Amino acid sequence: MTLSSSEENYIKAIFQLQVKDGMVSTNEVAAVLQTSAASVTDMLKKLKTKKLLVYEKYKGFKLNNEGRKLAIMVIRKHRLWETFLVNILHFNWDEVHEIAEQLEHIQSQQLIDHLDDFLGNPAFDPHGDPIPDASGKMPYQSQLNLNQFPLQIAGEVSAVGSQSPDILSLLEHKKITIGAKLKVMQNFAFDNSFEINVNDKERVHISSQLAEQIYVKKILHDSK
Amino acid sequence: MTLSSSEENYIKAIFQLQVKDGMVSTNEVAAVLQTSAASVTDMLKKLKTKKLLVYEKYKGFKLNNEGRKLAIMVIRKHRLWETFLVNILHFNWDEVHEIAEQLEHIQSQQLIDHLDDFLGNPAFDPHGDPIPDASGKMPYQSQLNLNQFPLQIAGEVSAVGSQSPDILSLLEHKKITIGAKLKVMQNFAFDNSFEINVNDKERVHISSQLAEQIYVKKILHDSK
DNA sequence: AATAAATTTTAGACAAATCTAAAATTTATT
DNA sequence: AATAAATTTTAGATTTGTCTAAAATTTATT
């Protein structure tokens, strides 16, 4: 089954929406792809005849097994290309999305296999997102030390390294709890300290020692 | 000026044809692109309104300066990607054309610049074709030693290393003259000798020592 | 130079992917 | 439960790139 770029964009968008929502709606897809609801309906009909999704009009839809498999392969391509652009061509991680959007549609299984090998079969892309392997298996969403967590990416505190009261009182003081939302705004090379945003409100400064004790998980969200 | 994939394919084809022919005809382009003459006419009108070529109906056409510049940039992209596929991803030189046909249409000046740097600003691609630099300057068609000449590629004897009668008599014996057409069919690793085709007729065997004295130029031809 | 052959262009149609506006359906509200 | 609001689908149009068949033009041949 070979898909057009447009079809690939739709199944990728549907896949990412259904991970959280289960059933997906026409408007959601239209919003993600910046297109009209009517265009989405047109494409749904087409993808249904290609047997890539379960769809009954007015009732919502979701990808079936075949559609899911294809979506994962598009995501695999996208993330491998992003890894290439950042690790090999030295782009910044925030410049690569648009280019990877184009590269992900290149049709050649061999190309992806070779690229994957060349990159050393990476498990995560530069944004910290998991890269599905050739069989479609997706590594677990990584829990990263705050030290290694990418800048400007929404994360959620998933664990704390030590339970010592000293640390906990400091964390409490900074409103950092398990499940707290945070975003690393800046890293200061001098002492490897961090400026971070907690729960979209507090701006706090974290020492290198404290950062080492905080584990963060990327918050799953829409695009890419 | 941004072009669609289709437009890029047309100006590339016209460019390669006009290098030899000067003026290009509708049928020639149709043959190269495997499409109908009517489609070519349609595209010519479009490219004319975009001011990329000089065209008067029934009179033939050719790219103007702007069109030529754009064509050269497409060729640059194609050849850089081929170099990447062969040198970095270890494809064989005969597997890369189709993939490069897709990659050449990715739109990002930055991507090409970074790729060029990563590859070490190569002057020739794996087929021995010159790669235009960022300003559009094309290196002279390389004259390669027979030892380094790619397999299965049509070449033309351009020079001989020494004029000693011993060599010339051997060359004469093998019908290898300046201007003779040849194609390297096989290279034997044991003694680095070659099996080559001369003038599409004779099959001759060339010792490593003799090969070293023969210089070959790629014969310019249609596609790629 | 007249006619035949080849080439090129026009005319009209089609598929893919999109749009807007109106109609159909579902969901929410009074 | 009736009506209003939101969502989704249909109907019909548009753009890009393509096609075939017929008409126009050029080139070659007798």
Side-chain angles (χ1 to χ4, degrees):
Chain A
M1 168 99 13
T2 318
L3 301 178
S4 70
S5 294
S6 204
E7 290 168 330
E8 287 193 336
N9 286 336
Y10 275 95
I11 59 164
K12 189 175 66 152
I14 295 169
F15 179 85
Q16 320 233 40
L17 286 169
Q18 80 184 25
V19 165
K20 283 171 294 178
D21 295 24
M23 218 63 171
V24 184
S25 77
T26 305
N27 265 356
E28 284 177 305
V29 176
V32 168
L33 295 183
Q34 303 256 67
T35 186
S36 69
S39 300
V40 176
T41 304
D42 288 344
M43 185 56 86
L44 290 174
K45 287 187 208 157
K46 201 210 267 193
L47 294 176
K48 189 182 182 180
T49 66
K50 288 197 168 192
K51 295 193 199 299
L52 299 180
L53 47 72
V54 183
Y55 165 52
E56 283 204 79
K57 58 154 104 164
Y58 293 110
K59 305 286 183 193
F61 47 90
K62 61 180 176 183
L63 298 175
N64 62 18
N65 229 58
E66 180 67 9
R68 237 169 358 244
K69 234 186 280 176
L70 290 172
I72 287 170
M73 283 304 135
V74 178
I75 290 168
R76 170 171 158 78
K77 288 189 282 178
H78 183 102
R79 292 180 181 168
L80 283 172
W81 280 118
E82 286 206 340
T83 304
F84 169 73
L85 293 172
V86 172
N87 293 3
I88 308 298
L89 295 195
H90 307 307
F91 277 89
N92 295 325
W93 65 269
D94 57 346
E95 305 172 318
V96 298
H97 185 74
E98 208 192 325
I99 303 174
E101 282 295 302
Q102 296 179 63
L103 286 165
E104 74 186 11
H105 301 301
I106 303 290
Q107 299 290 356
S108 166
Q109 189 52 58
Q110 253 206 309
L111 173 60
I112 295 307
D113 294 345
H114 284 218
L115 182 64
D116 192 18
D117 288 345
F118 169 63
L119 296 173
N121 310 110
F124 297 95
D125 76 12
H127 298 94
D129 292 311
I131 302 175
D133 70 15
S135 76
K137 203 185 290 177
M138 185 100 72
Y140 293 113
Q141 185 70 30
S142 67
Q143 169 183 277
L144 284 175
N145 197 264
L146 183 52
N147 284 300
Q148 300 152 293
F149 201 72
L151 290 173
Q152 304 286 356
I153 293 283
E156 184 182 87
V157 178
S158 56
V160 174
S162 148
Q163 305 293 70
S164 96
D166 291 356
I167 288 178
L168 294 181
S169 82
L170 180 52
L171 289 174
E172 187 177 10
H173 174 67
K174 296 193 183 280
K175 311 241 159 113
I176 297 173
T177 58
I178 298 290
K181 202 182 151 192
L182 62 75
K183 192 179 273 187
V184 180
M185 306 309 286
Q186 225 178 324
N187 171 227
F188 299 96
F190 171 65
D191 58 359
N192 200 33
S193 67
F194 296 87
E195 179 82 3
I196 72 173
N197 228 331
V198 182
N199 289 321
D200 295 325
K201 293 193 291 280
E202 277 79 26
R203 259 295 166 134
V204 303
H205 205 98
I206 301 277
S207 69
S208 161
Q209 295 95 312
L210 184 56
E212 226 166 272
Q213 300 300 318
I214 302 173
Y215 290 89
V216 187
K217 214 174 218 171
K218 212 177 162 264
I219 295 177
L220 298 167
H221 64 296
D222 34 87
S223 101
K224 163 158 14 75
Chain B
M1 167 97 16
T2 318
L3 302 178
S4 69
S5 294
S6 204
E7 290 168 330
E8 287 194 336
N9 286 335
Y10 276 95
I11 60 164
K12 188 176 66 153
I14 295 169
F15 180 83
Q16 321 232 41
L17 287 169
Q18 80 184 26
V19 166
K20 284 170 293 176
D21 293 24
M23 219 61 173
V24 185
S25 78
T26 305
N27 265 357
E28 284 177 306
V29 175
V32 168
L33 295 183
Q34 303 255 68
T35 186
S36 69
S39 300
V40 176
T41 302
D42 289 343
M43 185 57 86
L44 290 175
K45 287 187 209 157
K46 200 209 268 193
L47 295 177
K48 190 182 181 181
T49 66
K50 289 197 166 192
K51 296 192 198 300
L52 299 179
L53 46 73
V54 183
Y55 165 52
E56 283 204 77
K57 57 154 107 165
Y58 292 110
K59 304 288 182 191
F61 47 90
K62 61 181 176 184
L63 298 176
N64 63 19
N65 228 57
E66 180 67 11
R68 238 170 356 246
K69 234 187 280 177
L70 290 171
I72 287 170
M73 284 303 136
V74 179
I75 289 168
R76 170 170 157 80
K77 289 189 282 178
H78 183 102
R79 292 181 182 169
L80 283 172
W81 281 117
E82 286 205 340
T83 304
F84 169 72
L85 293 171
V86 171
N87 293 3
I88 308 298
L89 296 194
H90 307 306
F91 276 88
N92 295 325
W93 65 269
D94 57 346
E95 305 172 319
V96 297
H97 185 74
E98 209 192 324
I99 303 174
E101 283 294 302
Q102 296 180 63
L103 286 166
E104 75 187 10
H105 301 301
I106 302 290
Q107 299 290 355
S108 166
Q109 188 53 57
Q110 253 206 309
L111 174 60
I112 294 307
D113 294 344
H114 285 217
L115 182 65
D116 192 17
D117 288 344
F118 169 62
L119 296 173
N121 310 109
F124 297 94
D125 77 11
H127 298 95
D129 291 311
I131 302 175
D133 71 15
S135 75
K137 204 184 291 178
M138 185 100 71
Y140 294 113
Q141 184 71 28
S142 68
Q143 168 184 275
L144 285 175
N145 197 265
L146 183 52
N147 284 300
Q148 298 152 293
F149 201 73
L151 291 173
Q152 304 286 354
I153 294 283
E156 184 180 88
V157 178
S158 55
V160 174
S162 149
Q163 304 294 70
S164 95
D166 291 359
I167 288 178
L168 295 181
S169 83
L170 180 51
L171 288 174
E172 187 178 10
H173 174 68
K174 296 194 184 281
K175 312 239 160 117
I176 297 173
T177 59
I178 298 289
K181 202 184 150 191
L182 60 75
K183 193 179 269 187
V184 180
M185 306 308 288
Q186 226 179 323
N187 171 230
F188 299 97
F190 172 64
D191 58 0
N192 200 31
S193 66
F194 296 86
E195 180 82 3
I196 71 173
N197 228 332
V198 181
N199 290 320
D200 294 324
K201 294 193 291 281
E202 277 81 25
R203 261 290 169 137
V204 302
H205 204 98
I206 302 277
S207 70
S208 160
Q209 297 94 311
L210 184 55
E212 226 166 274
Q213 300 301 316
I214 302 172
Y215 290 89
V216 187
K217 212 174 220 172
K218 215 179 160 263
I219 295 176
L220 298 166
H221 64 297
D222 34 271
S223 100
K224 168 159 9 76

